[in-house]
Amino acid sequence: GVGNDILTISFEDQDAEPKTLTFSNNGEVWTPFMIPNNTFSLKFSSDDTGVDYGYKFTVTPSHCAEYMLNSGSTYTTNDIQIIESPHPYCNNLHITQNYNFTTPSVSEIYLQFNHLTSIADGDHLKITYQNNNNNKNHTQTFPIQPFNSFTIASTAFTLQFTTNSSHTHYGYTLSLDPRPCASFLNQPVNSILPLVPVLIESSHPYCNNLSIVQWYYFPRAVGVYITFDRNCFIQSDDSLSISYFAGGEWWSRRFVGGGFEAFLVRAGRFSVEFRSGSDGDGGNGYGYRFYADPDYCHTFQQDEGKQFKD
């Protein structure tokens, strides 16, 4: 254009905010750009000072358009969900999406990246959530590699994906696995148990960032026989401890790994202490599951008690 001739292109961005780009004969090079929408308006104004070539440009529908308009999802089931970027993703993205599981049984989400996931240098994927255990905000930021799986102690998170104008990669594919640890965490600290064998167990698999101490009491019992399910497995950095007071001393057994042997608690009251860290990159173990079988007459020996069937 010449003189005061102006070309304007208007559209709404991914936050539904109006945006306008203006082009005129000011000596600048008109560079390609992306509209985060499938609709735009064009306006061309010219005065009477002269004419020039005018404008000519190509409009290319982008495979990123639907993704850019996606603000996230709220899930009302406990099913695993898949979220992903376009493959490959586009340049100049500034995406914020919110995801939330609303079913009461969910208290954590296990996030696992597809093995193809890759993001170019200078681009960033950020996941932010509020930890259920301490109400503090936590952020995981992912560069090129590695894309380790992890668990968040929350039912909701915000995903932000920012890309620059250089080359792109495959992007991300992320599975969201909601996990029902709430019932486990909300067990009473002191449980008076009935006069029959009781099944005590963690969630399967267990969650990250746990620090649980729970006491169990069989009134009038002189001992409790503990028999483990053979599926029990606890990662090396986590631990299960069963403790009791007998003969004027504290006794405690610690369990890590698998293959836990049955044993006799020589008291009617015992504690179960379970601690897990935040490093479950490869997924946590099955956790623990055992029968607590009360002894009221000193009848149990080391090889007796309620047994698991194959």
Side-chain angles (χ1 to χ4, degrees):
V2 297
N4 295 318
D5 300 347
I6 295 176
L7 170 68
T8 59
I9 296 177
S10 302
F11 54 89
E12 288 187 350
D13 65 13
Q14 58 265 39
D15 297 321
E17 296 291 333
K19 300 291 182 182
T20 298
L21 299 179
T22 301
F23 304 90
S24 61
N25 189 20
N26 55 9
E28 294 182 0
V29 177
W30 295 6
T31 58
F33 63 96
M34 178 180 291
I35 295 174
N37 207 323
N38 55 13
T39 304
F40 68 93
S41 64
L42 182 150
K43 181 180 179 181
F44 184 53
S45 303
S46 61
D47 59 20
D48 58 0
T49 58
V51 296
D52 208 330
Y53 176 82
Y55 63 85
K56 180 181 180 181
F57 59 83
T58 301
V59 178
T60 304
S62 170
H63 67 296
C64 287
E66 182 178 356
Y67 170 72
M68 298 176 75
L69 294 173
N70 177 19
S71 61
S73 296
T74 296
Y75 304 110
T76 58
T77 72
N78 290 357
D79 297 333
I80 294 176
Q81 306 293 331
I82 304 296
I83 62 175
E84 58 188 331
S85 68
H87 312 301
Y89 58 85
C90 301
N91 289 329
N92 304 311
L93 295 176
H94 298 279
I95 303 299
T96 299
Q97 297 168 339
N98 297 299
Y99 296 92
N100 183 29
F101 285 87
T102 60
T103 49
S105 60
V106 175
S107 67
E108 294 199 347
I109 308 172
Y110 180 64
L111 292 85
Q112 185 172 25
F113 288 99
N114 179 286
H115 70 282
L116 296 174
T117 296
S118 63
I119 294 176
D121 190 18
D123 301 336
H124 297 281
L125 175 67
K126 182 186 297 185
I127 292 175
T128 304
Y129 63 96
Q130 186 179 66
N131 192 305
N132 288 338
N133 300 325
N134 55 25
N135 293 324
K136 293 183 179 179
N137 288 329
H138 294 260
T139 299
Q140 296 265 18
T141 301
F142 298 91
I144 299 177
Q145 291 291 349
F147 290 92
N148 293 323
S149 303
F150 63 103
T151 301
I152 63 173
S154 181
T155 60
F157 66 91
T158 297
L159 181 148
Q160 294 175 292
F161 190 38
T162 304
T163 67
N164 57 28
S165 58
S166 64
H167 61 285
T168 66
H169 280 200
Y170 172 86
Y172 64 87
T173 297
L174 187 60
S175 67
L176 312 179
D177 185 358
R179 296 188 169 180
C181 290
S183 59
F184 170 62
L185 291 170
N186 292 331
Q187 289 185 31
V189 174
N190 295 286
S191 295
I192 298 177
L193 302 177
L195 305 181
V196 295
V198 172
L199 184 62
I200 299 174
E201 60 186 325
S202 68
S203 55
H204 311 297
Y206 60 86
C207 304
N208 286 336
N209 303 308
L210 295 178
S211 181
I212 305 297
V213 178
Q214 294 160 338
W215 282 91
Y216 298 93
Y217 177 42
F218 288 95
R220 299 188 302 280
V222 295
V224 181
Y225 195 79
I226 304 296
T227 310
F228 290 96
D229 187 320
R230 66 180 183 179
N231 292 315
C232 292
F233 189 85
I234 296 172
Q235 300 285 12
S236 59
D237 293 336
D238 307 328
S239 67
L240 166 70
S241 296
I242 298 178
S243 305
Y244 62 95
F245 187 78
E249 297 183 66
W250 277 104
W251 302 81
S252 182
R253 288 203 180 191
R254 183 174 181 268
F255 301 90
V256 175
F260 304 156
E261 294 183 357
F263 74 102
L264 182 62
V265 172
R266 300 186 181 278
R269 185 193 299 269
F270 63 94
S271 71
V272 175
E273 182 176 356
F274 186 55
R275 302 187 186 280
S276 65
S278 58
D279 300 328
D281 295 337
N284 290 324
Y286 176 85
Y288 62 85
R289 185 171 186 258
F290 62 86
Y291 277 116
D293 194 349
D295 179 7
Y296 296 99
C297 303
H298 295 283
T299 57
F300 284 168
Q301 302 298 320
Q302 285 298 95
D303 59 349
E304 297 178 340
K306 178 72 174 179
Q307 301 291 322
F308 280 92
K309 295 181 180 180
D310 292 335

